[in-house]
Amino acid sequence: MTRWTDDLRGDLRRLDELSLRRSIVTPETGQESHISVQGRRYTLFTSNNYLGLSTHPEVIEASIEATRTYGTSVSASRLLCGSTPLHEELEARLAALKSREACLLFSSGYLANLGLMTAFLDSDDVIFSDRLNHASIVDGGRLSAAKVVLYDHCDPDHLESLLHETPAKRRLIVSESVFSMDGDLAPVLELLELAERFGALLVLDEAHATGLLGDDGAGALSLLGISDGPIVIVGTLSKALGSIGGFVAGDQTLISLLVSRARSFIFNTALHAGAVAAALESIRLMEAEPWRRERSLSLARTLRDGIVQREFPPSKSVTQIVPLMIGDAEEALALDSRFREAGVLARAIRPPTVPEGTSRIRFNVMATHDEEDINHVLGILGPDLPGPDLLGPDLPPGLLS
Ligand SMILES: Cc1ncc(COP(=O)(O)O)c(C=O)c1O
């Protein structure tokens, strides 16, 4: 026991030395634009509550009512007795939203990726995965029997050459549609063209696109006017849809296979009904109130412009996710602390979440923010700075314009 503890202490020390140790932040309030942490008020820029729906009274009410009806847990997997009519209603709703034939709920987006990527691929198959895909896709690939080949981020030419040179019985091309750490958009049309040409299945993870992109908020396919093609959508309920849970939407045959083969679906207690009802109500509000996505995207544009005006490196973001690129993990952590001192919670994102040397502060802009919140951030970065003391002497060099 002591030897283990010593070993693990050594691991923690090494994380400290590399500025890679993580810590938990515990707000005392819900995910509003302003939250309280240890009694101090912060403007929140690190939540995925993009449309402000997880704290919406009608979403909360729907969740409470379903909990009254079905209890706080469904206490079994869907295949035993953990299904409710609400689960089926949400699956139908999500299939329609994503213009796919059918949908299957999972307990999280993470488990949806794991389930999909391990359900039917074998060792003759190949997963072609964007180099910057989310950890849940990486882990799905690790658990899958298939070989994984990485292509350069958003580079269809590189993908094409890999598709030419890699023999495979079946091919899966996997990409996020909006990348979680960069806020950029995948070249979906090119990926689809390659999938069709090489007989591959295109898996798009819409975790950060659902609720934000397209006139109806349905995501990247809606934005690009794509309805057909060999496409499977993975999504989460835990971001714009104000709840918790994940899903896969695709053709009926695939979904039927997942029901019998996706281990993260079969061996997992189903989502509780309160979460399902919250997502259903969120979808209704997302469709009825397009101002939410418009506001989040337009405030994000203001933030991006302001960052560039202050001579920080421009990012490729075109969405509600706005990275402030720093590079070094220690400098990113220092800036994270400076933001906190100034009353802004926007966390440093460091390896292994992002590649070595690309640490950053990531801002998630929500519909519940306003111009003043954006100006607050920009004021910390730019000439409107109240005084040099606010940022302190150890600010990473070159960050002040
Ligand atoms: C691209 C992407 N896929 C999947 C997930 C996992 O979703 P969940 O939080 O529902 O497990 C996330 C969450 O961070 C994500 O960013």
Side-chain angles (χ1 to χ4, degrees):
M1 185 64 185
T2 315
R3 216 199 104 200
W4 274 104
T5 311
D6 282 350
D7 271 5
L8 299 183
R9 278 205 188 110
D11 288 353
L12 280 176
R13 257 197 313 279
R14 272 186 291 286
L15 286 176
D16 280 333
E17 282 158 17
L18 296 168
S19 296
L20 294 181
R21 184 148 167 186
R22 318 251 174 161
S23 60
I24 295 174
V25 170
T26 307
E28 292 102 29
T29 49
Q31 308 281 306
E32 308 273 7
S33 58
H34 294 86
I35 56 162
S36 164
V37 182
Q38 294 183 325
R40 188 166 172 204
R41 190 171 186 265
Y42 293 91
T43 311
L44 177 65
F45 275 101
T46 191
S47 170
N48 298 313
N49 187 19
Y50 295 129
L51 303 182
L53 295 175
S54 75
T55 46
H56 192 290
E58 287 167 41
V59 176
I60 294 170
E61 210 40 59
S63 180
I64 292 171
E65 202 178 311
T67 304
R68 279 213 183 88
T69 307
Y70 296 102
T72 51
S73 171
V74 292
S75 309
S77 86
R78 293 281 298 288
L79 298 176
L80 295 174
C81 58
S83 195
T84 72
L86 290 174
H87 289 76
E88 291 180 359
E89 188 184 339
L90 180 57
E91 285 171 340
R93 203 62 206 79
L94 288 166
L97 184 74
K98 297 294 184 184
S99 302
R100 305 291 98 189
E101 276 175 20
C103 173
L104 187 66
L105 289 172
F106 288 75
S107 292
S108 70
Y110 186 96
L111 292 175
N113 271 323
L114 252 51
L116 174 65
M117 292 172 74
T118 56
F120 57 89
L121 296 175
D122 63 37
S123 57
D124 297 328
D125 301 330
V126 178
I127 297 168
F128 296 84
S129 181
D130 187 292
R131 204 174 276 290
L132 295 191
N133 273 339
H134 186 259
S136 55
I137 299 172
V138 175
D139 292 356
R142 284 177 182 164
L143 280 178
S144 168
K147 178 178 172 192
V148 178
V149 172
L150 300 181
Y151 63 90
D152 291 343
H153 180 53
C154 287
D155 185 343
D157 293 337
H158 187 219
L159 171 60
E160 182 175 358
S161 68
L162 291 171
L163 283 162
H164 273 299
E165 71 196 36
T166 316
K169 188 162 66 90
R170 290 180 296 189
R171 299 175 168 89
L172 217 65
I173 299 172
V174 190
S175 176
E176 296 177 43
S177 54
V178 169
F179 282 85
S180 59
M181 297 299 143
D182 293 85
D184 55 341
L185 192 59
V188 177
L189 286 167
E190 288 92 331
L191 296 182
L192 180 57
E193 191 274 315
L194 285 171
E196 281 173 333
R197 185 140 53 93
F198 284 86
L201 188 60
L202 174 60
V203 177
L204 280 182
D205 182 331
E206 294 251 90
H208 299 272
T210 303
L212 278 304
L213 297 191
D215 288 342
D216 51 0
L221 297 189
S222 160
L223 176 77
L224 299 167
I226 303 168
S227 54
D228 294 329
I231 305 172
V232 178
I233 300 289
V234 175
T236 175
L237 311 175
S238 68
K239 303 189 193 299
L241 298 183
S243 184
I244 178 119
F247 63 91
V248 175
D251 67 39
Q252 185 59 62
T253 311
L254 173 86
I255 298 302
S256 299
L257 190 66
L258 292 183
V259 169
S260 293
R261 294 281 290 278
R263 294 169 66 85
S264 60
F265 170 78
I266 299 168
F267 300 105
N268 192 235
T269 298
L271 278 176
H272 80 97
V276 177
L280 276 166
E281 182 59 15
S282 289
I283 294 172
R284 190 189 70 72
L285 284 163
M286 173 203 92
E287 291 181 335
E289 301 182 359
W291 66 265
R292 292 179 182 273
R293 62 182 152 275
E294 286 158 13
R295 187 178 170 100
S296 162
L297 293 174
S298 102
L299 287 173
R301 188 175 316 121
T302 309
L303 178 59
R304 267 198 309 277
D305 290 351
I307 286 174
V308 172
Q309 275 156 14
R310 283 159 180 79
E311 296 178 0
F312 287 90
S315 70
K316 298 221 169 82
S317 163
V318 289
T319 63
Q320 77 284 3
I321 297 168
V322 181
L324 175 64
M325 303 304 290
I326 305 297
D328 179 67
E330 199 179 339
E331 290 182 7
L333 262 191
L335 192 58
D336 173 317
S337 307
R338 296 305 169 202
F339 271 116
R340 272 204 240 185
E341 280 165 32
V344 169
L345 196 66
R347 315 260 4 235
I349 310 282
R350 296 160 285 157
T353 309
V354 291
E356 208 60 54
T358 68
S359 290
R360 67 201 67 181
I361 304 286
R362 182 185 59 160
F363 297 96
N364 287 356
V365 182
M366 303 187 288
T368 44
H369 284 129
D370 59 22
E371 293 274 348
E372 207 178 307
D373 298 324
I374 304 297
N375 289 338
H376 185 186
V377 169
L378 294 175
I380 295 165
L381 293 174
D384 292 341
L385 204 64
D389 283 343
L390 184 62
L391 287 171
D394 58 342
L395 188 75
L399 281 185
L400 284 171
S401 54

